[in-house]
Amino acid sequence: MTDAQYAISEWHDTDAIYARLRELVRQPIRPIRRDRMNEFIGYFETKCICSKALTEAAKQYIPGGVQHNLAFNYPFPMAIEKAEGPYMWDVDGNRYIDFLQAGGPTVLGSNYAPVRDKVFELLQSCGPVTGLFHEYELKLAQLLNRLMPSIEMFRMLGSGTEGVIAAIRAARAFTGKKKVIKAGGAYHGWSDQMVYGLHIPGTGRMEAKGIPGGCTRDTQEFYPNDLGQLRRLMLLNRLRGGTAAVIVEPVGPESGTRPVPRDFNQKVRELCDEFGALLIFDEVVTGFRLGLGGAQGYFGVRPDLTIFGKCITGGYPMAGGVGGRRDILMRFAAGIGGSGERAYVGGTLSANPLSCVAGYYALLEMERTNAPVIAGRAGDRLTKGLNEIIARYKLPFVAFNQGSIVHLETSGVMLLDFKNLLKLMREVKPRRHMMEEMGAAYMAQGLITLAGSRMYTSMADTDEVIDDALGRFETVLSSVEGV
Ligand SMILES: Cc1ncc(COP(=O)(O)O)c(C=O)c1O
């Protein structure tokens, strides 16, 4: 595939982005003016009455009232009734431009009819699940192999988290080594061993409540982009059980919130080869969002194992899995009577016909329509427009994108780290609150973002949708202190 088949029209100048991000974090925060913020909060109190009532009632039966980590909780969670293309509607009938896109998988846009029709057809014939083999499992695995040649074999599971668990288990079984190294701040799901160095680099077990120390004993983190530190860890690991695998998100932790230089993945590949470790790409977000060849196709780097998540079914449930080298994947051979060499994986509902048919047709539709590239161009337009607004109002904020993954850093909370502990301790709360407020203000203006700092665009985002969104962003960004 050529660059023209990928969502990224031009790799960003990573050094220039970090220079702007450092400057943002160096400065005091620039939150929304209080009078304006009160108006934005007023929207929720007057226009979102049913959402408030429903999520209040939910608090009685559901811890905290929400079950999605990506949900907005400020000032209170929203209850959604309908999603289609670029829009979502809440239970009060308010319409939003949807840049959450379910956390990334719906590159075709929400609730895309041609895929939905195929799912309906299958449901009429065999229902969602039988417990036995269905032809769509084969079709999906074959399609993956055609789109991403490194996927010689594929094992479907229920989520990205499960894909990560399986990949690490296979890596240890295959190499006979112990340590698994991740980039600090990266999220690779919530398995015991991966709740380590979450969100903020250097935080190690800070979020590992309820997880015994032994579970993370062989998990390590390196500071994002610090290949020297990664090499030193791998060198030391020779004396302490060896490095089984290095796992990275190819665009950088948190979907590229901490972006990587273009040659980063190739260098990690070389280190893995030098130390006999497996390279695992976590393509839960990038797989198919960057293009049908994934980030590995875009960067031209072949991982040993690839983790898939929500994108593998275009957003339909029970979505995840691991694919890669035949000699490693054979460790997962299932069925009654697996051999002692087997790395155990399972899941009653994994690889069910519903998920497989949805994935198969979602990927075919993405290929037919060139959806990743169209979504990427929408991301470019959104980023360019945001940067124009930032420049016009002389704001310290930073917008950049990797195709259809768009970052808008206003509070800089995601860029704090343990290298400056005092600053981290002092500023993490106010900066996080500012991010929450920005998210709420965007929402009050009819924009749903991911946690107030990230947007996923889709094929449904026409120029008109993006230009409409930019007008709304401008209303919020022109309301910050000092404008
Ligand atoms: C990069 C990455 N890896 C793994 C996961 C976990 O996937 P899941 O939520 O399907 O368990 C996510 C989820 O957002 C992710 O973004």
Side-chain angles (χ1 to χ4, degrees), residues 25 199-201 223 258 411-420 423-429 431-432:
V25 177
H199 307 306
I200 297 179
Y223 193 79
R258 295 172 186 270
S411 83
V413 63
M414 294 294 283
L415 281 304
L416 294 173
D417 63 48
F418 257 60
K419 282 186 173 169
N420 193 340
K423 187 175 173 74
L424 174 71
M425 282 164 52
R426 239 188 351 236
E427 297 188 12
V428 72
K429 265 201 182 143
R431 285 186 188 267
R432 190 185 294 139

Side-chain angles (χ1 to χ4, degrees), residues 391-404:
R392 196 170 331 124
Y393 292 96
K394 299 190 173 42
L395 296 167
F397 305 156
V398 186
F400 61 99
N401 69 316
Q402 294 101 6
S404 55

Side-chain angles (χ1 to χ4, degrees), residues 159-161 187-190 249 282 284-285 310 319:
S159 65
T161 299
Y187 180 69
H188 297 291
W190 56 280
E249 254 197 287
D282 181 341
V284 165
V285 170
K310 45 206 160 190

Side-chain angles (χ1 to χ4, degrees), residues 90-102:
D90 65 20
V91 286
D92 292 280
N94 303 304
R95 193 186 80 172
Y96 303 89
I97 299 175
D98 172 14
F99 290 128
L100 178 60
Q101 287 296 323

Side-chain angles (χ1 to χ4, degrees), residues 43 47-48 51 78-82 88-96:
Y43 163 84
K47 302 273 187 195
C48 306
S51 269
M78 302 297 282
I80 297 299
E81 191 165 72
K82 184 177 152 187
M88 262 204 264
W89 287 260
D90 65 20
V91 286
D92 292 280
N94 303 304
R95 193 186 80 172
Y96 303 89

Side-chain angles (χ1 to χ4, degrees), residues 69-70 102-104 158-164 186-191 247-250 252-255 282-286 307-311 319-320 450 454 456:
N69 284 345
L70 303 178
S159 65
T161 299
E162 289 184 27
V164 172
Y187 180 69
H188 297 291
W190 56 280
S191 65
I247 175 168
V248 291
E249 254 197 287
E254 295 275 8
S255 303
D282 181 341
E283 294 232 37
V284 165
V285 170
T286 53
I307 291 149
F308 297 95
K310 45 206 160 190
C311 285
L450 194 164
R454 197 183 310 159
Y456 294 116

